[in-house]
Amino acid sequence: MAEQLNTGGGEFDPCRYRLRLRDCLLGAQMLFVAFGALVLVPLLTGLNSNVALFTAGVGTLLFQLITRGKVPIFLASSFAFIAPIIYGVETWGMPRTMGALVFSGLLYVLISLVIRWRGMGLILRLLPPIVTGPVIMVIGLVLAPTAVKMALGQSGPAMPQTTAMSISMVSLAVTVAVSLLGRGMLPILCGIAAGLVMAEIMGVTSWEAVSKSPWLALPAFSLPEFAWEPLLFIIPVTLAPAIEHFGDIIAISSVTGKDYLRDPGVKNTMLGDGVATMAACLLGGPPNTTYSEVTGAVTLTRAFNPAVMTWAALCAILLSMV
């Protein structure tokens, strides 16, 4: 770290330090963009939210390691597996369902090996944009009702609709205003801060649970078990997020102007996604997937540096222990 903060002549360079501090704040902002969906998956499926945070951070770091830190993408809980996890837990229990999800990550790895063997042309013929686009749209549009319910105060603790709308619209307005007018500022973090201040003013916040909780604690990791029935049930579902992965890589390539399908190659991005998913499910977290909402935030903030996602991953790991 000391070397990073010094110039070639051994003197402290405050400009470089400020740049890294900004990357850290941008990373925290990316985590907050992903946070709602990231923790919603475990809340809906009965998994542990802190474990999901931890495995999202670890999964993103593994993805960056495998792709040599070239792609500005954050990995976290996949919405495509919500219904299968709920059914699997009711039918076979949580440990066996998590064991089946480990093999969903292994399927990603096998797909990456096929691409490495046959080349990317095969994938482009099988999954052209006319296929990947609608899959991403369907998965993304599933989130729209959740966002509307949250904005109207119909998700979580009961809240009058006018109060919820006031808070959500202030957050949205500040985010849009800062993104358009605030050069060099962090629009999403500003929107979150404005929403929190508005919630305090309207008296709908409560810090009681926070004050009673320990400051630091390790996430409640759990180990999987393996059985054939949940495995055969889960594996076909893996095809949808696998298709989504190709679309997300095309999308981030379009945003940044770099062809990530060629370098580091979709064979490596798919491998990274698979290893991240396997690691997550081995620890009791939901399967990982590339987050389109974070790609949207990259478009908004123009934060094309993949190091920002490293900071987001580290923030997720640290937050999982709070």
Side-chain angles (χ1 to χ4, degrees), residues 20-210:
R20 294 186 183 279
L21 177 60
R22 174 173 170 75
D23 284 348
C24 180
L25 292 174
L26 284 169
Q29 178 175 246
M30 295 301 174
L31 175 60
F32 280 115
V33 171
F35 189 86
L38 193 163
V39 300
L40 185 61
V41 173
L43 288 175
L44 293 176
T45 57
L47 297 173
N48 185 282
S49 297
N50 285 61
V51 173
L53 271 168
F54 183 88
T55 54
V58 169
T60 300
L61 292 178
L62 288 171
F63 177 87
Q64 287 200 316
L65 180 65
I66 292 171
T67 58
R68 302 187 300 280
K70 292 186 175 183
V71 189
I73 271 185
F74 186 81
L75 277 70
S77 313
S78 173
F79 265 69
F81 289 95
I82 291 177
I85 292 175
I86 293 174
Y87 179 83
V89 171
E90 292 175 350
T91 307
W92 301 289
M94 184 67 76
R96 291 189 175 186
T97 300
M98 298 312 297
L101 292 171
V102 171
F103 280 90
S104 69
L106 181 59
L107 181 60
Y108 288 179
V109 174
L110 294 177
I111 293 174
S112 75
L113 294 177
V114 171
I115 298 171
R116 201 177 297 272
W117 170 46
R118 296 298 303 270
M120 196 179 68
L122 173 66
I123 297 299
L124 292 177
R125 289 194 297 271
L126 293 175
L127 299 174
I130 197 172
V131 174
T132 58
V135 170
I136 293 177
M137 289 171 63
V138 169
I139 294 175
L141 288 173
V142 169
L143 299 176
T146 302
V148 172
K149 288 180 180 179
M150 287 180 173
L152 296 176
Q154 298 173 1
S155 178
M159 185 185 302
Q161 182 170 316
T162 53
T163 302
M165 284 289 290
S166 298
I167 295 170
S168 58
M169 290 303 102
V170 166
S171 299
L172 176 62
V174 170
T175 301
V176 172
V178 172
S179 66
L180 294 176
L181 306 175
R183 292 184 179 179
M185 297 182 68
L186 305 168
I188 296 165
L189 279 183
C190 290
I192 292 170
L196 180 58
V197 171
M198 190 67 179
E200 285 281 4
I201 293 173
M202 303 192 76
V204 296
T205 56
S206 173
W207 300 95
E208 183 179 356
V210 176

Side-chain angles (χ1 to χ4, degrees), residues 218-277:
L218 286 175
F221 300 116
S222 61
L223 296 177
E225 297 177 1
F226 301 100
W228 280 109
E229 286 187 2
L231 171 61
L232 295 175
F233 170 72
I234 290 289
I235 286 299
V237 181
T238 309
L239 293 177
I243 294 171
E244 181 191 19
H245 176 92
F246 293 108
D248 286 342
I249 298 301
I250 292 171
I252 192 65
S253 297
S254 176
V255 167
T256 61
K258 297 181 179 179
D259 188 358
Y260 297 122
L261 291 175
R262 304 288 179 184
D263 183 24
V266 74
K267 60 182 181 292
N268 289 318
T269 62
M270 180 63 74
L271 176 62
D273 202 340
V275 171
T277 293

